[in-house]
Amino acid sequence: MDVSKAEIASQLVPVLGDQRDSAGDIERFAESLFEKHSSSVRVHWGLSQSDINLPLQPIVWYRLGYQCTDPSVRLGQTLDFAVGDYYLQDSGSMLALAACEADRPIEVEAPRRLICDLCAAPGGKATALLESIGDGFLLANEPIKSRVAPLAFNLARTGSNRYAISSMDPERLAHQLGGIFDLVVVDAPCSGQALLSKGKQTLSSITIAQVEHSAARARRILQSAFMLLRPGGQLVFSTCTFAERENEAQIDWLIDEFPAIPDPVDRLSPYQSAPRRRSHENSPENACCYRLWPHRDRCAGSFAASVRSDVDVPSVGSFRERKSKGKRRKQKQGTDIELPEAVATMIEAKELRIEEGEVNLWAWPADAPSWVEAISISGPELAYRTGRTWKPSHHLARRRDLQFIDSLEVDEADAWRYLRGESIRCETNGWRVVCHRGRGLGWIKASGGVGKNHLPPAARF
């Protein structure tokens, strides 16, 4: 680092604003920005620490979050990770998930919520929300189309089909679906100061110019996010930066300009932001704002806040059918469509809403919102087509709500062979789901005692 930590600390003081005092030792904070923090384990909802074969210690602010106590373990190279029993995530990212109550205890019934993750890729928060959604439904929106593929892959790892993926500008999405969501999550684009330790950001992130630019961009997104809420709905806003202008000041603005009211999360009170000294009035808004610091909380650091839409303000809109551009995808439902053989043995088509695209079959639950087919560009995939041949989708193999009939349970050695992309032994012919400990890994097509590997390259180890 060419710049001394004292120089960096001096640049951070104006960026932190009124949060400078809560940061404590400012030089120690500046130094910690360049210290690497290992990813933490976020256990699949419904599982517990005892279900994961790793030495773990709990993360205080998130019930399903753990840190591995053995630094020699490669957390992304275990069978528990391969089968989707945990997700790798910086523990700071779990602060916003705690505000969403995505880690509710298994004995607590999930409220039937309609949730929108407005900037969803690569899926760290969206997957946690989807796992815990119960009978609710998630719209995972990612405006940047090049980031949709990894988002779709990670959502498939959850084993759920209660989601759709859209790729719309937040303002346009709010015009289409304004006023209907119970929860909207905004992990906003920001100056990314917490990413310095990962080498994904430069020192320009701590300049006032970059902070102001990022704050203006996030404010536009926040405005659209608030329009998506139903009356009384919750908005959870998060960033990976420490600049007060991008964090607490945004919440002040939201409460000033919209019928937004603070929504404190009692369990997060130990992480509450410092009060802001606003010139025109005393500010109670920071009671709903929370921070994690890298030099205190053993993570890269993060910010999260929770507000609600005033229940006395009417909804701003409802679903509007958008005009079709180009060739409209054919939509067929249930038994109107002939399913590929491997798919037909796994599911009851009459219980699904099935849509056929040019090379994909998607299937949503029968009770999915009415607007799903019009808004989505992807979702729970049943099959894909190469030429004229339909093949079962990797997404389908990962489903946790299906009892696979044509499955092949394998031991640890064969599981690793399969995950490396190798063929494995299978005495029965045809398509089979490869399972380990009852968890679907992917597909083989067997013939003559050999199961040809159909695991996508992105899923291989």
Side-chain angles (χ1 to χ4, degrees), residues 100-102 111-115 129 132-133 136-137 182-183 234:
C100 298
E101 293 290 339
R112 188 180 173 87
R113 294 191 295 181
L114 184 59
I115 300 176
L129 293 166
S132 66
I133 207 165
F137 197 86
D182 301 294
L183 169 64
Q234 181 189 17

Side-chain angles (χ1 to χ4, degrees), residues 9 26 33 43 62 114 118 192 199 220-221 310 414 417 426 439:
I26 196 70
L33 290 177
V43 174
Y62 195 68
L114 184 59
L118 196 52
R220 186 181 75 85
I221 296 172
D310 194 323
D414 271 348
R417 291 187 187 95
C426 181
R439 305 273 196 263

